[in-house]
């Protein structure tokens, strides 16, 4: 990362314009996250939802990814989930249906059509999720507080669902506007902004527990005392050191790449000769970036969400299934995550497996070995010791699969590492119920930050190219 080039690019008008547009869109998103759904009196509704969110890891996790929109019951509560789900569906169909795969290979026009179908598919998904959120809220969350949310009329249902669906589509549009600026993926940056927005509250909570001296103060070698909570100090220090180590590992894994040397045959056309040079083909260890983690989190939120919907119906025949889905597919609480029950391992095990599967799946989309091999053959390029064409394709596929195997396992281990830390803290009697939430947030923030910095660096090289003499 060339920081001098990046800072020099800030003087460029085009760079300033792009950065200001992205910053303005993120600020607009944060304003939208505080606009409540027109369903009840906002103050009473917020108080009840806050009490529910604070008592549930699943609610806290959804609140984290939505940037606090769940606690506010905002119009952007549904967030990017419908678009992410629609993207997964269309990408699976692209691989399964030959006509869609041909359309994808047609170039920019084909991909534009697929993107348009993805947006259209996101609309009904947003409607369904909006109805489900309101239904769960009314039947389960506010069951004992009928004054905060009465029986909505059909018009109120239509207005509320329309507002939440429009908020989700507006968020999707804002994400695409960010992507068009060329300094980061819009979906990832919006999720990034939502997680970062919760940082002040997290720091305030840590600060309050750290300076709570009701249980004593920290003694330094018996010489003097520091007015901090001893247990909170050592827990905070341990988490900070572990976070730095995870941060270092994440940066190394994200930046790691395999360099493949490409040779170009020498060709003579008229009085000029071409080729006879070497170049490189860098293959990243994790070519999919943070997308597998976001996909895995979005996918894992569905079973617990379905369980909440089934439970809200009140049908006793499905109550056991609903309770199992909710208990299995939510972040395990420290009291339950002690190894006494195997159900506590369902979520971290599923998380680990899904991160690996989505890494393979998305890398297969962004890295097309067949297309790269064909382009190299057309340009007269070849890998030393490998025949052009099918043999090059097999070589590239084999190389990428080996890299993905190691990279996806490493990414999965980092993703589930906070659950292991929760188990250790639970054995020590320390409540660290939000540690796994913070670990997933850190994973997304670091990966998105690195990818955005890489794109900013590329843009900075473009706008400062003329400065080099």
């Amino acid at each position: 990362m060339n920081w001098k080039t990046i800072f020099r690019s800030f003087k460029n008008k085009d760079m300033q314009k792009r950065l200001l547009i992205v910053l303005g869109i993120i600020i607009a998103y944060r304003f939208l996250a505080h606009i409540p759904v027109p369903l009840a009196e906002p103050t009473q509704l917020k108080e009840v939802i806050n009490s529910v969110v604070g008592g549930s890891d699943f609610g806290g996790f959804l609140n984290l990814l939505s940037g606090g929109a769940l606690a506010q019951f905002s119009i952007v509560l549904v967030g990017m989930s419908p678009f992410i789900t629609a993207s997964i569906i269309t990408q699976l169909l692209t691989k399964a249906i030959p006509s869609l795969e041909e359309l994808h290979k047609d170039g920019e026009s084909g991909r534009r059509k697929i993107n348009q179908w993805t947006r259209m598919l996101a609309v009904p998904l947003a409607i369904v999720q909006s109805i489900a959120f309101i239904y769960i809220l009314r039947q389960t969350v506010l069951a004992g507080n009928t004054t905060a949310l009465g029986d909505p009329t059909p018009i109120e249902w239509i207005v509320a669902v329309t507002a939440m669906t429009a908020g989700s589509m507006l968020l999707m549009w804002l994400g695409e506007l960010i992507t068009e600026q060329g300094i980061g993926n819009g979906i990832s940056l919006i999720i990034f902004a939502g997680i970062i927005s919760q940082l002040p509250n997290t720091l305030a909570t840590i600060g309050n527990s750290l300076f709570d001296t009701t249980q004593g103060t920290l003694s330094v070698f018996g010489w003097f005392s520091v007015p901090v909570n001893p247990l909170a100090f050592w827990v905070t220090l341990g988490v900070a050191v572990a976070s730095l180590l995870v941060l270092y590992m994440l940066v190394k894994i994200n930046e790691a790449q395999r360099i493949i040397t490409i040779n170009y045959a020498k060709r003579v056309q008229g009085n000029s000769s071409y080729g006879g040079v070497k170049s490189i083909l860098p293959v990243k260890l994790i070519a999919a970036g943070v997308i597998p983690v976001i996909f895995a989190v979005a996918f894992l939120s569905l079973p617990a969400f379905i369980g909440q919907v089934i439970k809200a119906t009140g049908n006793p025949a499905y109550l056991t299934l609903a309770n199992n889905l909710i208990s299995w597919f939510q972040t395990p609480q420290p009291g339950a995550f002690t190894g006494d029950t195997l159900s506590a391992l369902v979520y971290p095990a599923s998380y680990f497996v899904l991160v690996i599967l989505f890494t393979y799946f998305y890398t297969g989309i962004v890295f097309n070995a067949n297309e790269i091999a064909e382009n190299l053959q057309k340009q007269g390029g070849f890998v030393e010791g490998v025949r052009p064409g099918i043999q090059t394709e097999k070589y590239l596929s084999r190389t990428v699969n080996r890299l993905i195997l190691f990279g996806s396992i490493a990414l999965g281990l980092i993703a589930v590492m906070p659950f292991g830390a929760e188990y250790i803290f639970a054995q020590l009697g320390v409540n660290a119920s939000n540690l796994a939430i913070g670990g997933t947030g850190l994973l997304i923030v670091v990966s998105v930050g690195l990818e955005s910095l890489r794109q900013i660096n590329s843009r900075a090289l473009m706008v400062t190219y003329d400065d080099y003499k």
Side-chain angles (χ1 to χ4, degrees), residues 16 61 63 91 105 131 154 186 213 293 302 307 315 330 336 344-345 371 403 460:
Q16 292 175 2
F61 189 64
N63 192 50
Q91 286 168 3
K105 291 179 178 179
I131 295 172
T213 57
V293 177
L302 290 178
N315 191 332
Q330 69 172 344
L345 299 175
E371 186 177 343
L403 291 173

Side-chain angles (χ1 to χ4, degrees), residues 248-311:
Y248 177 80
M249 292 170 62
L250 276 173
V251 172
K252 286 295 184 182
I253 290 174
N254 268 279
E255 297 300 311
Q257 58 185 14
R258 167 79 180 272
I259 302 298
I260 299 176
T261 304
I262 305 296
N263 297 291
Y264 287 91
K266 191 172 184 179
R267 295 174 297 170
V268 178
Q269 294 182 356
N271 295 326
S272 304
S273 62
Y274 303 91
V277 296
K278 292 184 177 181
S279 67
I280 61 170
L281 175 65
V283 182
K284 289 182 65 65
L285 183 63
I286 305 178
V290 73
I291 298 298
V293 177
I294 295 176
F295 277 10
V297 168
F299 196 85
L300 277 177
S301 67
L302 290 178
F305 185 76
I306 294 170
Q308 294 278 9
V309 174
I310 296 174
K311 187 177 180 180

Side-chain angles (χ1 to χ4, degrees), residues 428-444:
L428 297 174
V430 179
N431 188 353
S433 58
N434 290 326
L435 189 60
I437 296 175
T440 302
L442 178 66
L443 195 63
I444 295 174

Side-chain angles (χ1 to χ4, degrees), residues 107-117 119:
E108 187 62 30
S109 61
R111 285 190 287 269
R112 194 179 294 116
K113 286 183 181 179
I114 294 176
N115 289 337
Q116 185 63 27
W117 293 339
R119 298 186 197 104

Side-chain angles (χ1 to χ4, degrees), residues 17 21 98 199 213 226 276 316 335 338 392-393 404 407 416 423 437 454:
K17 177 184 174 183
I21 288 174
L199 190 59
T213 57
V226 181
T338 57
T392 300
E393 179 187 348
I404 296 173
V416 300
Y423 172 77
I437 296 175
R454 193 177 295 110

